[in-house]
Amino acid sequence: MGKDPFSSEVKPRILLMGLRRSGKSSIQKVVFHKMSPNETLFLESTNKICREDVSNSSFVSFQIWDFPGQIDFFDPTFDYEMIFRGTGALIFVIDSQDDYVEALRRLHLTVTRAYKVNPDINFEVFIHKVDGLSDDHKIEKQRDIHKRANDDLSDAGLERIHLSFYLTSIYDHSIFEAFSKVVQKLIPQLPTLENLLNIFISNSGIEKAFLFDVVSKIYIATDSSPVDMQTYELCCDMIDVVIDISCIYGLSGDEAGSPYDKESMAIIHLNNTTVMYLKEVTKFLALVCFLREESFERKGLIDYNFHCFKKAIEEVFDVRLKVQRNRKLLSQRRWSKLTMPNRTHSEHH
């Protein structure tokens, strides 16, 4: 990582921080490694920084750094400036079932340090392990943590720092939804994608559409109508069904390959006259739509509009890749110009 001064431009970094045993590694394993939540009980405590590239798709292309709980910012060997400088989002995990006074103190220290180095970081607070709490208790905890964290910032004269709060658990889909929101903020093309989805659904008689990263079940965009948690859960379940059936029946014994490809497509009729329709957009992305049975009778129109939507998405991809390549080339040129004068300068001496 240290050798390549341009890598942070191409891959935003997401830092996972929080006290020991707050559930950071479990979140990473469940969201990106498909680990069953029950298996995370056997994970050992993280005692060093774990870096991981998540390149499931060109859109979801970032690094996750999982930090041990007791990291010491004052340790001279810990170069926090270098780490925060290349960071897109800092996720701070608070265990809601524990006394969180120490966690809030650590959150304040972390956020203020990071903000000084890089004011553009998105600060995301996961109020975690809420599966054991009643709905009223969850709201109460969120309100209390929200108030205390923001009071600490305003006491320090740092009201301009914005914290986003999420209630999360690895035992339901809340952790996937929270991660979706975090990742969406790091996708510069999000308004374009939302706009394309709005155009697609309004011309196709579709009620709701999501663009999913198939591997992680993070949705990287949806249309502008509000997201209902139950709808999102149905989408996740549909992706699991498609992948599981493809794994069992889709690949012949000697055939290696992905269970998800350009032929992937699924239709599920729910018992309330709603149809779910999944289609492959790229080898990493799927479009999942909800529509009424009577609208689905015009499947030819929907498929034609989908074809136009898919071409537009491919163009967004191409532009993004070109921009990244150009940016990398520019950085390399700037870097070589920066290093050249120093060399000649030292030769004069």
Side-chain angles (χ1 to χ4, degrees), residues 54-67:
V54 177
S55 304
N56 304 332
S57 89
S58 332
F59 276 98
V60 185
S61 176
F62 50 79
Q63 289 185 324
I64 292 195
W65 290 34
D66 183 3
F67 279 76

Side-chain angles (χ1 to χ4, degrees), residues 56-57 59-60 173 176-177 180 184 197 209-222 227 231-240 260 276 278-290 309:
N56 304 332
S57 89
F59 276 98
V60 185
H173 291 82
F176 293 95
E177 177 152 41
S180 298
Q184 282 166 26
L197 283 164
F210 293 89
L211 197 56
F212 266 90
D213 180 62
V214 175
V215 179
S216 62
K217 288 187 296 201
I218 284 174
Y219 70 94
I220 62 166
T222 181
V227 174
T231 310
Y232 174 64
E233 288 176 10
L234 278 169
C235 290
C236 292
D237 292 345
M238 184 176 193
I239 290 170
D240 283 342
Y260 177 78
M276 294 176 71
L278 177 147
K279 276 181 84 71
E280 185 260 10
V281 180
T282 71
K283 65 177 185 206
F284 306 111
L285 297 179
L287 182 75
V288 183
C289 310
F290 285 79
F309 170 79

